[in-house]
Amino acid sequence: MEAQQTTIYEKIGGAATVGRLADRFYELMDSVAQFKELRAMHPASLAGSRDKLFKFLSGWFGGPDLFVQEFGHPMLRARHMPFAIGTLERDQWVACMVLAMEDVGIDADVRKVLLNNFFNTADFMRNKEG
């Protein structure tokens, strides 16, 4: 019998924590001047963006694949192509997520793994110089 590996989703507390993370991420983006360029790329209401991030992270962390069920394959790079994303925007996104993870109390060891994954994914979204 094989031992089942615990997912990030389970380690951090499931849907409740993923929801708090998505909420906090967009609260920070909306209120911290350091993230103004990132905020400017989003619609006036962040509700739809927050919902999509929650659904995406749910599946990405190993929980229910809510995003795929509703929208199909994430195709992250294609979905982000309409936005000019360079190192500034990447770094703002990652910094905002780091703060959100800290604020919702995600364990430091899990944050380290997620930071690496988030950075690599955000870096892959870059589509402009600088």
Side-chain angles (χ1 to χ4, degrees), residues 66-128:
L66 304 173
F67 188 94
V68 171
Q69 291 169 14
E70 188 169 339
F71 303 105
H73 190 283
M75 302 180 303
L76 290 179
R77 189 151 167 84
R79 290 182 196 269
H80 288 83
M81 264 313 177
F83 307 99
I85 301 171
T87 54
L88 174 72
E89 295 79 12
R90 176 203 64 199
D91 291 349
Q92 286 184 9
W93 194 98
V94 171
C96 190
M97 185 56 77
V98 165
L99 290 175
M101 288 192 296
E102 290 172 357
D103 287 354
V104 301
I106 293 176
D107 178 77
D109 289 336
V110 175
R111 283 198 321 260
K112 185 188 276 188
V113 170
L114 290 177
L115 172 57
N116 186 57
N117 293 342
F118 281 135
F119 179 85
N120 289 336
T121 303
D123 193 53
F124 185 63
M125 297 304 111
R126 287 187 305 121
N127 57 23
K128 74 170 190 176

Side-chain angles (χ1 to χ4, degrees), residues 2 7 22 42-43 65 90 95 101 114:
E2 227 176 274
T7 64
H42 289 76
D65 218 351
R90 176 203 64 199
M101 288 192 296
L114 290 177

Side-chain angles (χ1 to χ4, degrees), residues 26 30 39-49:
Y26 284 107
D30 200 33
R39 176 63 181 96
M41 298 170 76
H42 289 76
S45 170
L46 294 172
S49 299

